[in-house]
Amino acid sequence: MSELSQFLKDHIPHGWGVRKLSEMAEAHGLPLSIATISLYLSSKHGKPTHRTLRAFSRLLGIPLKQLHKAAHLPPPRDDYLWTPPREVWQLTKQQGEAVSTFIKAIVEHPSGTLPADITGTRQALPVRPDYLVIKEILGQ
């Protein structure tokens, strides 16, 4: 049994099984399916993703650093971790892609300028309220 699987089993509330864990994850908007939970508890999982570890952390009330340690992964760094609000799991696929595109655009161009065009000039982005930018991305 993997150390992570045993660690998770040791922190499951008494009387809870895979089905109860799945129900609680769904009730809290956490991205853990019954299949994922089963794989992790039976040591049949691959290298865990940060998203999965974060979901288990929230579901079981285990500090994320402890889960990383049990999974033999480097501890999470606060400077690259971003936790979306719970409501993000209610977005449609198209809305989720629009939000991801928006975030990538911000990260790629944090100075508020567009990449150089073919003439080598840079143009400042127009200043608009965030809600207008999001509406435009969503096509509304």
Side-chain angles (χ1 to χ4, degrees):
M1 175 163 295
S2 77
E3 189 176 332
L4 176 60
S5 295
Q6 187 60 53
F7 188 81
L8 290 171
K9 283 183 175 185
D10 292 344
H11 288 83
I12 295 174
H14 182 70
W16 283 27
V18 173
R19 189 170 308 282
K20 178 68 173 180
L21 288 168
S22 175
E23 290 170 3
M24 294 304 292
E26 184 176 344
H28 289 90
L30 299 172
L32 287 174
S33 67
I34 195 166
T36 299
I37 294 169
S38 293
L39 289 172
Y40 275 82
L41 296 182
S42 64
S43 293
K44 295 178 182 171
H45 60 86
K47 181 180 177 183
T49 64
H50 175 74
R51 181 178 185 214
T52 300
L53 292 178
R54 186 176 62 221
F56 274 118
S57 170
R58 289 183 177 171
L59 179 64
L60 300 173
I62 303 168
L64 190 55
K65 286 183 180 183
Q66 289 181 10
L67 285 173
H68 275 256
K69 183 177 180 183
H72 301 285
L73 295 173
R77 293 184 1 228
D78 292 337
D79 63 340
Y80 75 86
L81 300 180
W82 175 70
T83 304
R86 241 177 88 176
E87 294 80 9
V88 77
W89 309 115
Q90 297 172 9
L91 297 175
T92 65
K93 182 178 179 183
Q94 182 182 11
Q95 291 169 331
E97 289 171 357
V99 171
S100 292
T101 301
F102 180 70
I103 291 170
K104 287 176 186 174
I106 291 171
V107 171
E108 290 172 1
H109 306 290
S111 65
T113 59
L114 295 171
D117 64 12
I118 56 172
T119 63
T121 61
R122 297 174 70 87
Q123 301 171 353
L125 292 173
V127 177
R128 295 184 315 205
D130 291 341
Y131 70 90
L132 290 178
V133 174
I134 292 171
K135 285 179 102 176
E136 181 181 315
I137 290 172
L138 294 174
Q140 297 178 348

